Amino acid sequence: YGWTDQGEVIHTVKSDSYNAIDAAVLKDNDGKVWMAFGSWGTGIHILELDELTGKVKSGAKMINIANRGGAGIEGASLMQEGRRPREQFLQDDGGAFQPHRWWLRGP
């Protein structure tokens, strides 16, 4: 087994309205591949990936799935529950030594 760098999937520059960090990937029961990512200011986003390349699927639209208007939110993960994909993310209510809440959302 060996790892080969095949380039970035997504990146962030200063003018972007998202933060490409803390990615989570899921292949759902329908064979679609999804990547959730993001944190803090603009929240958590999700994109569909191309199953063969692992890159953003042509024509995919970035969707904001969670935010708190600039307050802390981070740590997206994805899971499949039956036929329904669900997003899980961490809401930070005050820093590393304060209580944290996990939220579970889905259609």
Side-chain angles (χ1 to χ4, degrees):
Y1 176 79
W3 178 81
T4 304
D5 184 348
Q6 297 191 15
E8 66 186 34
V9 175
I10 189 171
H11 69 272
T12 304
V13 296
K14 191 173 184 176
S15 61
D16 287 332
S17 63
Y18 60 89
N19 189 6
I21 189 170
D22 296 339
V25 177
L26 169 79
K27 183 174 182 180
D28 71 18
N29 291 337
D30 295 326
K32 291 183 178 182
V33 181
W34 302 94
M35 181 176 69
F37 59 92
S39 69
W40 290 96
T42 61
I44 307 297
H45 298 77
I46 194 165
L47 274 170
E48 187 174 357
L49 302 181
D50 183 289
E51 180 183 9
L52 298 176
T53 68
K55 308 288 184 174
V56 176
K57 187 173 182 175
S58 178
K61 303 288 185 203
M62 186 182 306
I63 302 168
N64 181 266
I65 59 173
N67 71 67
R68 293 183 62 213
I73 190 168
E74 61 184 358
S77 64
L78 298 170
M79 64 187 77
Q80 180 93 28
E81 182 179 84
R83 301 286 308 156
R84 299 169 21 164
R86 298 173 77 76
E87 306 88 34
Q88 180 177 329
F89 54 91
L90 174 67
Q91 175 180 317
D92 187 338
D93 289 329
F97 301 105
Q98 299 299 317
H100 291 69
R101 291 185 277 176
W102 285 98
W103 296 83
L104 186 63
R105 298 177 21 152

